Amino acid sequence: MLASISEELTGLEQRSLRRQMHTFTQAGKARLFLEGKSLLNFSSNDYLGLARHPQVIEAVRQVLEHGGAGATSSRLISGTSIIHRDLECALAAFLHREAALLFSSGYMTNLGVIQALVGSGDAVVLDRLCHASLVDAVRLSGARLMVYKHLDLEEAERALKRSTSFRRRLLVTESLFSMDGDFAPLEDLQSLAKRYGAISIVDDAHALGVWDTKTAGWDVSVGTLSKAFGSQGGFAAGSREVVELLINTSRSFIFTTGLSPLCVAAAQAALNVIQQDPRRRDHVKNLSAQLRDGLSILGFDILGSQSQIVPIRLGEAGRALACADYLRQSEIFAPAIRPPTVHAGQCRIRFSVTADHQPADIDQVLNALKGWKHE
Ligand SMILES: *Cc1c(COP(=O)(O)O)cnc(C)c1O
Protein backbone atom coordinates (compact mmCIF):
# COMPACT_ATOMS: atom_id res chain seq x y z
CA MET A 1 0.00 0.00 0.00
CA LEU A 2 2.63 2.51 1.05
CA ALA A 3 4.75 1.71 -2.01
CA SER A 4 1.88 2.95 -4.19
CA ILE A 5 2.00 6.28 -2.36
CA SER A 6 5.64 6.70 -3.20
CA GLU A 7 4.90 5.80 -6.84
CA GLU A 8 2.21 8.47 -6.91
CA LEU A 9 4.67 11.07 -5.63
CA THR A 10 7.27 10.04 -8.19
CA GLY A 11 4.66 10.39 -10.91
CA LEU A 12 3.92 13.95 -9.79
CA GLU A 13 7.64 14.69 -9.76
CA GLN A 14 8.11 13.39 -13.31
CA ARG A 15 5.32 15.63 -14.59
CA SER A 16 6.76 18.72 -12.82
CA LEU A 17 3.64 18.71 -10.63
CA ARG A 18 5.09 17.86 -7.23
CA ARG A 19 4.51 20.71 -4.79
CA GLN A 20 6.76 21.87 -2.01
CA MET A 21 6.19 24.25 0.86
CA HIS A 22 8.89 26.83 1.46
CA THR A 23 9.27 28.62 4.77
CA PHE A 24 9.18 32.38 4.43
CA THR A 25 9.83 35.20 6.86
CA GLN A 26 8.34 38.62 6.33
CA ALA A 27 11.04 41.12 5.42
CA GLY A 28 9.33 44.51 5.26
CA LYS A 29 7.01 45.91 2.63
CA ALA A 30 6.47 43.50 -0.28
CA ARG A 31 9.59 41.54 0.67
CA LEU A 32 10.10 38.00 1.91
CA PHE A 33 13.13 36.16 3.21
CA LEU A 34 13.65 32.69 1.76
CA GLU A 35 16.75 30.70 2.62
CA GLY A 36 18.56 33.84 3.76
CA LYS A 37 17.75 35.75 0.60
CA SER A 38 15.45 38.76 0.37
CA LEU A 39 12.90 38.47 -2.46
CA LEU A 40 10.46 40.95 -3.91
CA ASN A 41 7.08 39.35 -3.30
CA PHE A 42 4.60 39.11 -6.19
CA SER A 43 2.65 36.19 -4.73
CA SER A 44 0.55 37.90 -2.07
CA ASN A 45 -3.23 38.31 -2.12
CA ASP A 46 -2.90 41.15 0.39
CA TYR A 47 -3.75 43.45 -2.52
CA LEU A 48 -4.15 46.62 -0.48
CA GLY A 49 -1.28 46.00 1.92
CA LEU A 50 -3.65 45.87 4.90
CA ALA A 51 -2.36 42.76 6.71
CA ARG A 52 0.23 44.91 8.47
CA HIS A 53 -1.51 48.27 8.41
CA PRO A 54 -1.01 50.12 11.75
CA GLN A 55 -4.79 50.59 12.25
CA VAL A 56 -5.31 46.87 11.72
CA ILE A 57 -2.59 45.88 14.15
CA GLU A 58 -3.88 48.29 16.80
CA ALA A 59 -7.45 46.98 16.44
CA VAL A 60 -6.24 43.39 16.89
CA ARG A 61 -4.18 44.36 19.92
CA GLN A 62 -7.19 45.92 21.64
CA VAL A 63 -9.49 42.99 20.94
CA LEU A 64 -6.83 40.52 22.07
CA GLU A 65 -6.60 42.25 25.45
CA HIS A 66 -10.36 42.36 26.03
CA GLY A 67 -11.70 39.39 24.13
CA GLY A 68 -8.83 36.89 23.97
CA ALA A 69 -7.62 34.90 21.01
CA GLY A 70 -10.43 32.48 20.20
CA ALA A 71 -14.21 32.54 19.80
CA THR A 72 -14.24 29.44 22.11
CA SER A 73 -17.51 28.05 20.75
CA SER A 74 -19.55 27.69 17.59
CA ARG A 75 -21.57 30.71 16.53
CA LEU A 76 -24.94 29.15 17.44
CA ILE A 77 -23.79 28.24 20.97
CA SER A 78 -21.83 31.14 22.50
CA GLY A 79 -19.32 32.02 19.80
CA THR A 80 -21.11 35.17 18.61
CA SER A 81 -19.85 38.44 20.09
CA ILE A 82 -20.80 42.02 19.39
CA ILE A 83 -17.82 42.43 17.05
CA HIS A 84 -19.07 39.51 14.91
CA ARG A 85 -22.48 41.19 14.66
CA ASP A 86 -20.96 44.61 13.94
CA LEU A 87 -18.75 43.27 11.13
CA GLU A 88 -21.70 41.39 9.60
CA CYS A 89 -23.75 44.60 9.58
CA ALA A 90 -20.84 46.60 8.15
CA LEU A 91 -20.23 44.07 5.36
CA ALA A 92 -23.93 43.97 4.49
CA ALA A 93 -23.99 47.77 4.26
CA PHE A 94 -20.75 47.82 2.24
CA LEU A 95 -22.31 45.47 -0.34
CA HIS A 96 -25.78 47.09 -0.22
CA ARG A 97 -27.49 43.97 1.16
CA GLU A 98 -29.88 43.31 3.99
CA ALA A 99 -27.64 40.91 5.88
CA ALA A 100 -24.32 39.07 5.94
CA LEU A 101 -22.92 36.04 7.73
CA LEU A 102 -19.30 35.27 8.63
CA PHE A 103 -17.70 31.88 8.04
CA SER A 104 -14.23 30.59 9.00
CA SER A 105 -12.86 30.96 5.46
CA GLY A 106 -13.92 31.71 1.93
CA TYR A 107 -13.66 28.01 1.15
CA MET A 108 -16.07 27.14 3.94
CA THR A 109 -18.40 29.94 2.88
CA ASN A 110 -18.77 28.41 -0.57
CA LEU A 111 -19.34 24.94 0.87
CA GLY A 112 -21.96 26.32 3.24
CA VAL A 113 -23.82 28.52 0.78
CA ILE A 114 -24.10 25.99 -2.05
CA GLN A 115 -24.99 23.13 0.23
CA ALA A 116 -27.68 25.21 1.97
CA LEU A 117 -29.27 26.17 -1.33
CA VAL A 118 -29.12 22.98 -3.41
CA GLY A 119 -29.08 19.19 -3.15
CA SER A 120 -29.79 16.21 -5.36
CA GLY A 121 -32.50 17.07 -7.90
CA ASP A 122 -31.10 20.59 -8.26
CA ALA A 123 -28.58 21.99 -10.76
CA VAL A 124 -25.70 24.47 -10.60
CA VAL A 125 -24.52 26.30 -13.73
CA LEU A 126 -20.90 27.31 -13.25
CA ASP A 127 -18.14 29.05 -15.23
CA ARG A 128 -15.49 26.46 -16.11
CA LEU A 129 -12.72 28.44 -14.40
CA CYS A 130 -14.47 28.91 -11.08
CA HIS A 131 -12.42 28.28 -7.95
CA ALA A 132 -12.01 24.74 -6.61
CA SER A 133 -14.08 25.57 -3.52
CA LEU A 134 -17.13 26.17 -5.74
CA VAL A 135 -16.63 22.93 -7.65
CA ASP A 136 -16.12 21.00 -4.40
CA ALA A 137 -19.21 22.66 -2.94
CA VAL A 138 -21.39 21.51 -5.84
CA ARG A 139 -19.99 17.98 -5.65
CA LEU A 140 -20.66 17.78 -1.91
CA SER A 141 -24.17 19.14 -2.31
CA GLY A 142 -25.19 16.33 -4.66
CA ALA A 143 -26.60 18.82 -7.21
CA ARG A 144 -25.92 18.36 -10.92
CA LEU A 145 -22.88 20.38 -12.06
CA MET A 146 -23.29 22.12 -15.45
CA VAL A 147 -20.13 23.86 -16.56
CA TYR A 148 -19.98 26.48 -19.31
CA LYS A 149 -16.98 27.78 -21.23
CA HIS A 150 -15.18 30.60 -19.46
CA LEU A 151 -17.12 33.91 -19.79
CA ASP A 152 -19.24 32.47 -22.63
CA LEU A 153 -22.75 33.91 -22.34
CA GLU A 154 -24.21 31.71 -25.07
CA GLU A 155 -23.01 28.52 -23.41
CA ALA A 156 -24.19 29.81 -20.05
CA GLU A 157 -27.65 30.39 -21.54
CA ARG A 158 -27.73 26.90 -23.09
CA ALA A 159 -26.82 25.38 -19.71
CA LEU A 160 -29.53 27.42 -17.99
CA LYS A 161 -32.07 26.22 -20.57
CA ARG A 162 -31.08 22.62 -19.93
CA SER A 163 -31.28 23.20 -16.18
CA THR A 164 -34.96 24.19 -16.23
CA SER A 165 -36.02 20.57 -15.72
CA PHE A 166 -34.27 20.57 -12.35
CA ARG A 167 -36.02 21.74 -9.17
CA ARG A 168 -33.83 24.61 -7.97
CA ARG A 169 -31.12 26.17 -10.16
CA LEU A 170 -28.11 28.30 -9.33
CA LEU A 171 -25.96 30.40 -11.63
CA VAL A 172 -22.52 30.86 -10.08
CA THR A 173 -19.55 32.93 -11.23
CA GLU A 174 -16.56 34.73 -9.85
CA SER A 175 -16.46 38.49 -10.42
CA LEU A 176 -12.69 38.69 -10.97
CA PHE A 177 -11.16 35.31 -11.84
CA SER A 178 -8.32 34.29 -9.57
CA MET A 179 -5.94 32.66 -12.05
CA ASP A 180 -6.86 34.58 -15.22
CA GLY A 181 -7.28 38.11 -13.89
CA ASP A 182 -10.36 38.78 -16.04
CA PHE A 183 -13.82 40.03 -15.10
CA ALA A 184 -17.15 38.27 -15.66
CA PRO A 185 -19.95 40.12 -17.53
CA LEU A 186 -21.97 40.38 -14.33
CA GLU A 187 -24.92 42.36 -15.68
CA ASP A 188 -25.52 40.02 -18.62
CA LEU A 189 -25.18 36.92 -16.46
CA GLN A 190 -27.56 38.30 -13.89
CA SER A 191 -30.24 38.97 -16.49
CA LEU A 192 -29.80 35.41 -17.79
CA ALA A 193 -30.29 34.08 -14.26
CA LYS A 194 -33.48 36.15 -13.94
CA ARG A 195 -34.79 35.01 -17.32
CA TYR A 196 -34.36 31.32 -16.46
CA GLY A 197 -35.41 31.60 -12.83
CA ALA A 198 -32.03 30.70 -11.35
CA ILE A 199 -30.65 32.00 -8.05
CA SER A 200 -27.53 34.05 -8.81
CA ILE A 201 -24.35 33.75 -6.72
CA VAL A 202 -21.19 35.77 -7.27
CA ASP A 203 -17.86 34.99 -5.61
CA ASP A 204 -16.19 38.38 -5.23
CA ALA A 205 -13.01 37.06 -3.52
CA HIS A 206 -10.39 38.84 -5.62
CA ALA A 207 -12.27 42.05 -6.42
CA LEU A 208 -13.65 42.83 -2.98
CA GLY A 209 -12.19 46.07 -1.66
CA VAL A 210 -10.20 46.70 -4.85
CA TRP A 211 -12.83 46.89 -7.62
CA ASP A 212 -16.42 48.00 -7.38
CA THR A 213 -17.84 45.04 -9.26
CA LYS A 214 -21.53 46.02 -8.85
CA THR A 215 -22.70 42.79 -7.33
CA ALA A 216 -25.69 44.29 -5.50
CA GLY A 217 -28.21 42.84 -7.97
CA TRP A 218 -27.02 39.28 -7.33
CA ASP A 219 -28.98 37.13 -4.93
CA VAL A 220 -25.93 36.12 -2.91
CA SER A 221 -22.47 37.62 -2.80
CA VAL A 222 -19.63 35.57 -1.34
CA GLY A 223 -16.38 37.15 -0.21
CA THR A 224 -13.23 36.37 1.66
CA LEU A 225 -11.51 38.38 4.38
CA SER A 226 -8.18 36.77 3.48
CA LYS A 227 -7.32 38.71 0.33
CA ALA A 228 -7.63 42.51 0.08
CA PHE A 229 -8.91 42.55 3.68
CA GLY A 230 -5.57 41.07 4.81
CA SER A 231 -7.19 38.96 7.53
CA GLN A 232 -8.80 35.52 7.50
CA GLY A 233 -12.38 34.33 7.17
CA GLY A 234 -15.19 34.53 4.65
CA PHE A 235 -18.76 35.76 4.43
CA ALA A 236 -21.96 35.59 2.43
CA ALA A 237 -24.27 38.58 1.93
CA GLY A 238 -27.81 38.68 0.64
CA SER A 239 -31.40 39.02 1.76
CA ARG A 240 -32.34 38.52 5.42
CA GLU A 241 -34.12 35.29 4.51
CA VAL A 242 -31.18 33.80 2.63
CA VAL A 243 -28.93 34.55 5.59
CA GLU A 244 -31.51 33.00 7.97
CA LEU A 245 -31.42 29.85 5.84
CA LEU A 246 -27.62 29.76 5.99
CA ILE A 247 -27.65 30.13 9.78
CA ASN A 248 -30.06 27.20 9.99
CA THR A 249 -28.67 24.82 7.39
CA SER A 250 -25.05 25.60 6.40
CA ARG A 251 -23.09 22.74 7.91
CA SER A 252 -19.76 24.56 7.51
CA PHE A 253 -21.24 27.42 9.56
CA ILE A 254 -22.99 25.34 12.23
CA PHE A 255 -20.39 22.68 12.97
CA THR A 256 -17.29 24.79 13.48
CA THR A 257 -15.96 27.30 15.97
CA GLY A 258 -16.83 30.95 15.36
CA LEU A 259 -14.30 33.07 13.51
CA SER A 260 -11.52 34.24 15.85
CA PRO A 261 -12.20 37.71 17.29
CA LEU A 262 -8.69 38.67 16.15
CA CYS A 263 -9.60 37.99 12.51
CA VAL A 264 -12.87 39.86 12.99
CA ALA A 265 -11.11 42.90 14.46
CA ALA A 266 -8.50 42.91 11.68
CA ALA A 267 -11.17 42.68 8.98
CA GLN A 268 -13.26 45.44 10.55
CA ALA A 269 -10.24 47.76 10.71
CA ALA A 270 -9.35 46.85 7.11
CA LEU A 271 -12.89 47.67 5.98
CA ASN A 272 -12.61 51.07 7.68
CA VAL A 273 -9.34 51.79 5.84
CA ILE A 274 -10.85 50.63 2.53
CA GLN A 275 -13.76 53.02 3.00
CA GLN A 276 -11.57 55.95 4.10
CA ASP A 277 -8.61 55.68 1.75
CA PRO A 278 -9.20 55.20 -2.00
CA ARG A 279 -5.53 56.02 -2.74
CA ARG A 280 -4.50 52.41 -2.04
CA ARG A 281 -6.84 51.13 -4.73
CA ASP A 282 -5.65 53.76 -7.22
CA HIS A 283 -2.01 52.93 -6.52
CA VAL A 284 -2.59 49.19 -7.19
CA LYS A 285 -4.43 49.98 -10.42
CA ASN A 286 -1.65 52.27 -11.68
CA LEU A 287 1.04 49.70 -10.91
CA SER A 288 -1.00 46.93 -12.56
CA ALA A 289 -1.29 49.02 -15.72
CA GLN A 290 2.48 49.67 -15.63
CA LEU A 291 3.19 45.93 -15.41
CA ARG A 292 0.67 44.98 -18.11
CA ASP A 293 2.01 47.65 -20.50
CA GLY A 294 5.63 46.58 -19.95
CA LEU A 295 4.86 42.87 -20.41
CA SER A 296 2.97 43.60 -23.57
CA ILE A 297 5.96 45.48 -25.01
CA LEU A 298 8.11 42.43 -24.18
CA GLY A 299 5.67 40.29 -26.17
CA PHE A 300 4.32 38.07 -23.38
CA ASP A 301 0.96 36.28 -23.58
CA ILE A 302 -0.77 38.28 -20.84
CA LEU A 303 -4.11 37.10 -19.50
CA GLY A 304 -6.99 39.19 -18.21
CA SER A 305 -7.46 42.93 -18.40
CA GLN A 306 -6.76 45.81 -16.05
CA SER A 307 -6.76 43.84 -12.84
CA GLN A 308 -4.03 43.48 -10.23
CA ILE A 309 -3.81 39.76 -11.09
CA VAL A 310 -1.35 39.68 -14.00
CA PRO A 311 -0.72 36.16 -15.36
CA ILE A 312 1.63 35.42 -18.26
CA ARG A 313 0.85 32.16 -20.04
CA LEU A 314 3.86 29.94 -20.72
CA GLY A 315 2.37 26.54 -21.61
CA GLU A 316 3.91 23.42 -20.08
CA ALA A 317 4.69 23.11 -16.38
CA GLY A 318 8.45 22.79 -16.96
CA ARG A 319 8.60 26.12 -18.77
CA ALA A 320 6.61 27.93 -16.07
CA LEU A 321 8.89 26.44 -13.40
CA ALA A 322 12.01 27.51 -15.31
CA CYS A 323 10.70 31.05 -15.53
CA ALA A 324 9.84 31.11 -11.81
CA ASP A 325 13.37 29.87 -11.04
CA TYR A 326 14.91 32.54 -13.25
CA LEU A 327 12.85 35.22 -11.50
CA ARG A 328 13.92 33.84 -8.12
CA GLN A 329 17.57 34.26 -9.17
CA SER A 330 16.66 37.87 -9.92
CA GLU A 331 15.28 38.19 -6.36
CA ILE A 332 11.63 38.11 -7.44
CA PHE A 333 9.12 35.67 -6.06
CA ALA A 334 6.21 34.98 -8.42
CA PRO A 335 4.70 31.50 -8.40
CA ALA A 336 4.39 29.10 -11.32
CA ILE A 337 0.72 28.06 -11.47
CA ARG A 338 0.26 24.47 -12.60
CA PRO A 339 -2.43 21.77 -12.64
CA PRO A 340 -4.64 21.15 -10.75
CA THR A 341 -4.96 24.91 -10.20
CA VAL A 342 -5.08 25.48 -13.98
CA HIS A 343 -5.65 23.12 -16.91
CA ALA A 344 -2.67 21.27 -18.41
CA GLY A 345 -0.79 23.28 -21.03
CA GLN A 346 -2.11 26.51 -19.48
CA CYS A 347 0.71 26.89 -16.94
CA ARG A 348 1.65 30.43 -16.10
CA ILE A 349 3.44 32.81 -13.84
CA ARG A 350 0.96 34.79 -11.81
CA PHE A 351 2.06 38.21 -10.61
CA SER A 352 -0.13 39.78 -8.02
CA VAL A 353 0.42 43.49 -7.63
CA THR A 354 -0.24 45.07 -4.24
CA ALA A 355 -0.33 48.54 -2.69
CA ASP A 356 3.00 47.74 -1.01
CA HIS A 357 4.79 47.74 -4.39
CA GLN A 358 6.47 50.76 -5.96
CA PRO A 359 7.02 51.58 -9.66
CA ALA A 360 10.70 50.56 -9.30
CA ASP A 361 9.56 47.07 -8.23
CA ILE A 362 7.58 46.71 -11.44
CA ASP A 363 10.66 47.82 -13.42
CA GLN A 364 12.70 45.14 -11.65
CA VAL A 365 10.24 42.46 -12.84
CA LEU A 366 10.27 43.76 -16.40
CA ASN A 367 14.07 43.88 -16.52
CA ALA A 368 14.34 40.33 -15.20
CA LEU A 369 11.86 39.02 -17.76
CA LYS A 370 13.71 40.79 -20.56
CA GLY A 371 16.79 38.82 -19.50
CA TRP A 372 14.84 35.55 -19.45
CA LYS A 373 13.51 36.11 -22.96
CA HIS A 374 17.05 36.67 -24.23
CA GLU A 375 18.49 33.56 -22.62
C1 LIG B 1 -9.28 32.39 -2.37
C2 LIG B 1 -10.62 32.08 -2.87
C3 LIG B 1 -11.56 31.45 -2.06
C4 LIG B 1 -11.20 30.91 -0.72
O1 LIG B 1 -11.02 31.91 0.23
P1 LIG B 1 -10.23 31.58 1.56
O2 LIG B 1 -10.71 32.61 2.51
O3 LIG B 1 -8.79 31.70 1.23
O4 LIG B 1 -10.61 30.19 1.97
C5 LIG B 1 -12.83 31.27 -2.56
N1 LIG B 1 -13.17 31.67 -3.79
C6 LIG B 1 -12.28 32.26 -4.60
C7 LIG B 1 -12.69 32.68 -5.96
C8 LIG B 1 -10.97 32.47 -4.18
O5 LIG B 1 -10.09 33.01 -4.98
Side-chain angles (χ1 to χ4, degrees), residues 105-107 110 131 133 174 178 203 205-206 224 226-227 233:
S105 72
Y107 189 106
N110 281 336
H131 191 258
S133 58
E174 291 183 31
S178 56
D203 182 337
H206 289 273
T224 174
S226 66
K227 285 166 182 152

Side-chain angles (χ1 to χ4, degrees), residues 46 50-51 61 83 86 103 115 139 143 149-151 153 159-160 208 210 265 275 296 306 312 320 337 350 361 371:
D46 182 20
L50 295 178
R61 202 195 309 278
I83 63 170
D86 285 349
F103 288 74
Q115 171 255 323
R139 287 194 186 132
K149 198 168 137 212
H150 183 49
L151 305 185
L153 286 168
L160 282 165
L208 186 74
V210 184
Q275 289 181 307
S296 145
Q306 289 188 304
I312 51 175
I337 309 289
R350 176 185 185 271
D361 300 332

Side-chain angles (χ1 to χ4, degrees), residues 32-39 328-331:
L32 295 170
F33 267 124
L34 174 65
E35 290 157 4
K37 200 161 148 186
S38 165
L39 302 172
R328 181 103 55 95
Q329 315 266 314
S330 316
E331 302 188 0

Side-chain angles (χ1 to χ4, degrees), residues 45 47 104-110 129-134 173-179 203-206 222-227 231-234 350:
N45 295 325
Y47 299 126
S104 300
S105 72
Y107 189 106
M108 286 170 73
T109 309
N110 281 336
L129 294 191
C130 274
H131 191 258
S133 58
L134 290 165
T173 184
E174 291 183 31
S175 53
L176 169 54
F177 281 83
S178 56
M179 293 301 142
D203 182 337
D204 208 21
H206 289 273
V222 169
T224 174
L225 305 176
S226 66
K227 285 166 182 152
S231 177
Q232 189 116 24
R350 176 185 185 271

